[in-house]
Amino acid sequence: MRDLVAAEFRCPSCGHQLKRESIVPVKSARGKILTPCTVDRANKETRAGRARWTQHGVLVLHDAPERNAEYRRIVFKRDNGTCLWCGEPANTVDHIVPYSEGGPYHPSNLFCACESCNQKRRNEDAYTFLERLAGEGIPSPFAEYVVERYQIACAFVQRMKDFREK
């Protein structure tokens, strides 16, 4: 555990330098030791339902970030590397239920997006963003599929919340 409190660590989420007194050890859902974060960041993750505290003061994430590359490959293959918002080639994955609202980094809650659409959407609801694109003259050629994926993602996120509450 001593190596987890080294002063040279940076928060993996925001990149700021961590101080010895504010370090929180972090583990993934699969038990892998990750880069520590600050107490404030840890509390934010627990409030959002993305992590929990152990009795020993370790933050345990509900997902496994070490699987993100694998999930990204799955999503790009499933969606043929096409932005489901505008139909252009995709170079990112987008959370269907935004991460800020408890949406996990999991294939059930991800689909392909071009960087432009991903940044333009921010944390906007999928339905609202589809309407905004249509109003801007960029109707999604995959709108029905996006709505279907949104419904699947919402059900998945709700099942995860229900499971954690038990």
Side-chain angles (χ1 to χ4, degrees), residues 72 75-76 90-94 111-116 118-119:
R72 186 179 164 90
V75 171
F76 265 81
N91 55 356
T92 68
V93 292
D94 193 5
F111 58 63
C112 287
C114 68
E115 190 171 356
S116 175
N118 199 342
Q119 288 180 354

Side-chain angles (χ1 to χ4, degrees), residues 75-127:
V75 171
F76 265 81
K77 183 176 181 180
R78 182 193 67 209
D79 297 344
N80 296 315
T82 303
C83 176
L84 298 184
W85 296 118
C86 69
E88 294 295 318
N91 55 356
T92 68
V93 292
D94 193 5
H95 286 79
I96 300 168
V97 175
Y99 184 76
S100 63
E101 295 177 22
Y105 197 101
H106 185 275
S108 296
N109 188 47
L110 299 169
F111 58 63
C112 287
C114 68
E115 190 171 356
S116 175
C117 286
N118 199 342
Q119 288 180 354
K120 186 188 292 187
R121 178 183 174 211
R122 297 189 181 188
N123 290 340
E124 202 167 20
D125 177 81
Y127 289 117

Side-chain angles (χ1 to χ4, degrees), residues 27-87:
K27 286 187 178 182
S28 76
R30 300 176 95 193
K32 182 178 179 183
I33 296 174
L34 304 173
T35 305
C37 70
T38 64
V39 173
D40 287 344
R41 179 68 188 189
N43 285 330
K44 181 178 178 182
E45 294 300 308
T46 57
R47 282 191 306 273
R50 294 187 290 262
R52 65 177 171 77
W53 287 103
T54 68
Q55 63 187 21
H56 302 293
V58 175
L59 183 71
V60 179
L61 303 178
H62 292 308
D63 64 358
E66 64 269 26
R67 298 190 71 189
N68 289 359
E70 175 188 349
Y71 290 163
R72 186 179 164 90
R73 281 191 297 278
I74 290 168
V75 171
F76 265 81
K77 183 176 181 180
R78 182 193 67 209
D79 297 344
N80 296 315
T82 303
C83 176
L84 298 184
W85 296 118
C86 69

